[in-house]
Amino acid sequence: MSDERATASDRLTPRWLFDATLILGGAAVTVLFARGFIHRPKLALAALAVLLVIAVATLNLRRLRRVRLGHVVVAFMLLLPLMALLGPSVALPALPQLFAFRVIGVVALYLGLTWLIAARVRFDSAAARPALLVLLWFGWLTLALLWAPDKATGFRYLGVMFTMVTLMAATALGGTSRQRLKWLLALLAVAYLLIVAMSMVESFTGYRLPTSRLLTTTSSATDYAVTSVFHNQNDLATYLSLCWPFFICAFFFTRRFAWRALALVAMTVGVAAFVHTGSRSSLIAVGIESLACLAFFRRGFSRRTRAIGAIVAVVLILGAAWLAFNNSSSDMLRQFRLQGLANNVQANKGSGEIRVNLTRTGLDSLGRFYLMGAGPGQAEVLVTESVAQAGIVNLHDWWLEVIVDGGLPAFVLHALLYFGLLASMWRVARRGAEPLLRYLAAAIMLALTGYVIGALGPSSAISFAPMWIVWGLAIAVMIRQRAVKGAASPLRPVTASPPDPADHAG
């Protein structure tokens, strides 16, 4: 009996010592982190994040061993569009530059490249054609660095463009299966909900996120304005104008009352946010989208469906027209008046004067660089040198920015990409293999049609995530359309064994 007690005691002693050591170690780590948060909070926060990652990975080591790399890559990639739309607003206060989009983007890029090399993945032509145009565009801008006046700005510009191209590819990944496409759309819907909800909070309470340009503005003219998660009002308005067609098209592609009611609610909340932006270019874009909607859906649907959709489109057109020519005494509504912009241009003052000077600066630079472009990011350098207004550092015209930075070659490549996607969406909207694909293609086609003018809203669209997401979503529709029609899988590993369903990307 005494021998059995001694053996039991020997077994308990190591466990007891382990527990004691664990408690003392935890106390020591707590003290160290407490001291670190007092003296060096950023370093302590980063160390704590690393420690948490190690702890979670260690505790779930068995589960992690069963996870396939393809599933992890897909999960991170599909999260990128959501994080890109929310942008720097999803960040820790102590580390504002280390926001979620950057962290997830770096992880997704590393895992994605590793997976592509290990699985020997190949691309389908549906994604290869737009990818080739983007690659040539990026390559030409890289070459233009040779004669760019400011090389540092050029490298930063190319870095931003590479990030946005990664975002576009992540969005296109949704087209590799119906389930992924639905997940992507659900995440984009969540982003819209959060963005318009923040707009309402900002409108009623006056609270602004740290990323807002209006946070430090004292002018009474912007008391009513909202920016939500974006930097300024124009970016928010342009994003909302890109979203309108997805709600308008819902009235043509579904007869379910719940979906139509949901689309109507989303549009109503969007309008409430839109009228607080004062963006004229986005107002024109919404009008163009609504007119194009009436033209596109004039046939091929039942009379009731066409009537309901037409009513919604006409209401939007009338609302846009009233805002464009309103005589209201409200400072908020007067911002939309096109007559005010025309008067400013004629009188050479205000926003009209700024637009004219920016356009003149951009066009003058074309001759200086023999239509070859000033180089990536050089538009900002030229604007800073030529435009007298303080705080104006962008051309506020995406089309002009493309040709100023990359010259005629970049402009042609960009136009082929843009209008090529638009034409592809028109074909899928007419002859798509699935109702979901026809709906998405029609909405994207209308969004791209309006964005021809809407692109004048953002100060610079090179970092405007919604534009790249719409392009990526168009590629996703093309990939899915090809797959549904019975073609080969858009992207599959070249292996002897049957590929895993998760091992696909767009």
Side-chain angles (χ1 to χ4, degrees):
M1 181 68 68
S2 61
D3 293 339
E4 293 178 358
R5 290 178 180 176
T7 303
S9 176
D10 292 339
R11 290 176 180 174
L12 290 174
T13 301
R15 179 66 183 178
W16 198 86
L17 289 175
F18 175 79
D19 291 341
T21 304
L22 188 64
I23 293 173
L24 292 175
V29 170
T30 302
V31 172
L32 289 175
F33 274 110
R35 181 178 177 83
F37 275 111
I38 295 174
H39 297 284
R40 306 184 70 177
K42 293 184 178 181
L43 182 61
L45 190 60
L48 180 60
V50 172
L51 182 63
L52 288 175
V53 171
I54 294 174
V56 171
T58 303
L59 293 174
N60 296 275
L61 194 57
R62 291 183 179 180
R63 294 182 179 179
L64 290 175
R65 288 173 179 172
R66 293 195 296 267
V67 174
R68 299 182 70 91
L69 182 58
H71 290 94
V72 177
V73 172
V74 168
F76 274 99
M77 285 293 191
L78 293 182
L79 276 176
L80 270 185
L82 171 63
M83 294 296 103
L85 289 173
L86 300 181
S89 59
V90 184
L92 295 173
L95 297 170
Q97 298 300 320
L98 197 65
F99 46 91
F101 173 60
R102 288 182 175 177
V103 175
I104 294 178
V106 170
V107 175
L109 183 62
Y110 171 75
L111 293 177
L113 291 176
T114 303
W115 174 57
L116 289 174
I117 295 172
R120 297 166 58 196
V121 178
R122 64 181 180 181
F123 291 86
D124 182 80
S125 59
R129 284 190 290 268
L132 178 61
L133 292 172
V134 173
L135 181 62
L136 292 175
W137 180 15
F138 187 86
W140 174 256
L141 288 179
T142 304
L143 179 63
L145 272 175
L146 295 176
W147 59 81
D150 191 335
K151 300 291 191 297
T153 300
F155 278 112
R156 287 194 297 270
Y157 190 92
L158 290 177
V160 173
M161 184 175 180
F162 178 79
T163 304
M164 293 296 107
V165 171
T166 303
L167 171 63
M168 184 175 69
T171 309
L173 178 67
T176 55
S177 76
R178 183 178 177 84
Q179 188 64 29
R180 290 173 191 163
L181 188 58
K182 288 184 175 180
W183 274 108
L184 175 63
L185 296 176
L187 290 173
L188 293 177
V190 169
Y192 180 84
L193 177 64
L194 293 175
I195 290 171
V196 295
M198 184 59 212
S199 299
M200 295 298 97
V201 170
E202 190 175 355
S203 174
F204 286 108
T205 67
Y207 172 78
R208 306 189 194 279
L209 293 173
T211 55
S212 174
R213 179 183 70 89
L214 302 178
L215 191 64
T216 56
T217 301
T218 57
S219 173
S220 59
T222 57
D223 288 343
Y224 57 83
V226 298
T227 59
S228 188
V229 301
F230 295 95
H231 180 62
N232 56 49
Q233 310 96 294
N234 284 336
D235 289 355
L236 173 60
T238 307
Y239 165 74
L240 293 174
S241 69
L242 287 172
C243 294
W244 295 135
F246 291 89
F247 304 128
I248 299 176
C249 290
F251 292 91
F252 290 95
F253 283 92
T254 181
R255 295 182 179 180
R256 295 182 179 180
F257 175 79
W259 284 112
R260 287 178 172 178
L262 188 62
L264 187 60
V265 170
M267 292 178 70
T268 302
V269 180
V271 168
F274 186 85
V275 296
H276 286 80
T277 63
S279 175
R280 298 185 184 98
S281 59
S282 296
L283 179 65
I284 297 174
V286 170
I288 293 173
E289 291 167 355
S290 303
L291 288 172
C293 178
L294 289 177
F296 182 77
F297 292 112
R298 69 183 184 277
R299 64 179 67 178
F301 295 86
S302 66
R303 290 183 178 180
R304 181 181 178 183
T305 298
R306 282 183 294 176
I308 294 175
I311 290 173
V312 175
V314 168
V315 168
L316 281 177
I317 293 172
L318 294 177
W322 182 83
L323 283 175
F325 301 100
N326 78 88
N327 292 316
S328 173
S329 59
S330 170
D331 292 337
M332 180 179 70
L333 298 179
R334 279 206 306 268
Q335 291 292 315
F336 289 100
R337 294 180 61 186
L338 296 181
Q339 183 180 358
L341 179 61
N343 292 338
N344 287 341
V345 172
Q346 293 176 357
N348 197 29
K349 65 178 183 179
S351 59
E353 177 192 9
I354 295 175
R355 286 280 184 177
V356 170
N357 289 339
L358 290 173
T359 303
R360 185 182 296 115
T361 299
L363 295 177
D364 289 345
S365 68
L366 292 177
R368 289 173 52 189
F369 292 91
Y370 305 101
L371 299 181
M372 303 301 286
Q378 302 311 301
E380 296 183 359
V381 178
L382 297 172
V383 168
T384 304
E385 294 175 351
S386 304
V387 181
Q389 282 82 2
I392 303 296
V393 296
N394 301 105
L395 285 173
H396 290 72
D397 184 336
W398 172 237
W399 298 96
L400 187 60
E401 181 181 333
V402 170
I403 197 170
V404 168
D405 284 341
L408 193 58
F411 187 83
V412 171
L413 291 170
H414 172 267
L416 289 174
L417 172 66
Y418 191 96
F419 293 105
L421 292 177
L422 197 155
S424 296
M425 293 301 98
W426 187 87
R427 290 193 294 270
V428 177
R430 284 295 188 190
R431 300 183 296 273
E434 293 180 345
L436 177 62
L437 295 180
R438 292 195 296 272
Y439 157 72
L440 290 175
I444 295 169
M445 179 196 66
L446 295 176
L448 291 176
T449 302
Y451 191 69
V452 172
I453 299 298
L456 306 181
S459 55
S460 173
I462 190 64
S463 59
F464 186 60
M467 179 187 75
W468 297 92
I469 290 174
V470 170
W471 290 0
L473 191 58
I475 298 173
V477 170
M478 294 166 59
I479 292 173
R480 185 62 191 154
Q481 167 72 5
R482 183 180 177 88
V484 172
K485 289 179 65 176
S489 179
L491 193 62
R492 58 185 179 86
V494 184
T495 57
S497 59
D500 182 81
D503 292 338
H504 295 271

